[in-house]
Amino acid sequence: MSVLLVAAVGCGVRPSGVSDAGEAPTGVAPGMTLYFVDDNDELRPQFRRTQRLGTVSDAVSLLLTGPGDSGVRTEIASTSVTSVEVTTHPEAIELRVPLDIGDVTPMGIDQIVCTARTSHVQNGGSERTRVRIRFVQFTPESEVHRTCPLYE
């Protein structure tokens, strides 16, 4: 009988409270979210089916191809080169884009930043990460660490 009593109370498992395990996983999406400008001059997310989540570079490269006939517009000049180099630092994502500062409006910069940030977060990155855009020619604008105005 004493063996049963020890087995019943001596298993070593004790109830515990709720524990914080960090940020929830983001899951896998069948595409990417890009940001364009609507008729009200506001940023508008648009989901593009690509059959995979993609990287930050993939998302910004796809953004540079333009909105197509989706009913929104872009504030980024058309370019035949859409390759984007991405370097991730602990506090920032650095994008090297095939554009000069004159190729984008302030809203176009927001399109790039919001697209990069959303892709980074969907891939498990921190929502607090900032984005720095390096243009083809040096400009003080390349030194600014930016956030997406939709998520400030």
Side-chain angles (χ1 to χ4, degrees):
M1 177 116 150
S2 62
V3 173
L4 285 176
L5 183 59
V6 170
V9 297
C11 66
V13 176
R14 298 200 171 142
S16 64
V18 176
S19 63
D20 182 14
E23 295 181 24
T26 56
V28 177
M32 296 176 251
T33 302
L34 312 178
Y35 287 80
F36 292 101
V37 182
D38 66 16
D39 290 337
N40 296 319
D41 293 328
E42 295 178 1
L43 287 176
R44 173 90 45 217
Q46 274 208 336
F47 185 76
R48 296 291 171 91
R49 291 201 175 276
T50 59
Q51 303 309 315
R52 62 190 181 94
L53 183 57
T55 64
V56 172
S57 179
D58 294 335
V60 177
S61 292
L62 187 57
L63 175 72
L64 295 180
T65 66
D69 59 356
S70 60
V72 291
R73 70 178 193 279
T74 186
E75 294 285 316
I76 303 167
S78 178
T79 179
S80 60
V81 179
T82 60
S83 178
V84 176
E85 182 182 320
V86 177
T87 306
T88 304
H89 303 283
E91 71 286 342
I93 302 167
E94 183 177 295
L95 307 173
R96 291 192 180 274
V97 296
L99 305 165
D100 287 322
I101 188 66
D103 292 333
V104 295
T105 67
M107 183 71 76
I109 289 174
D110 289 342
Q111 285 180 250
I112 294 169
V113 170
C114 292
T115 297
R117 179 226 181 251
T118 298
S119 178
H120 177 71
V121 170
Q122 287 176 333
N123 279 291
S126 170
E127 294 180 359
R128 294 183 298 271
T129 302
R130 298 193 175 256
V131 177
R132 185 168 55 190
I133 303 171
R134 299 286 185 163
F135 295 95
V136 173
Q137 293 180 336
F138 177 78
T139 174
E141 292 293 318
S142 290
E143 299 304 314
V144 179
H145 285 85
R146 303 172 189 278
T147 60
C148 177
L150 298 177
Y151 302 105
E152 291 181 331

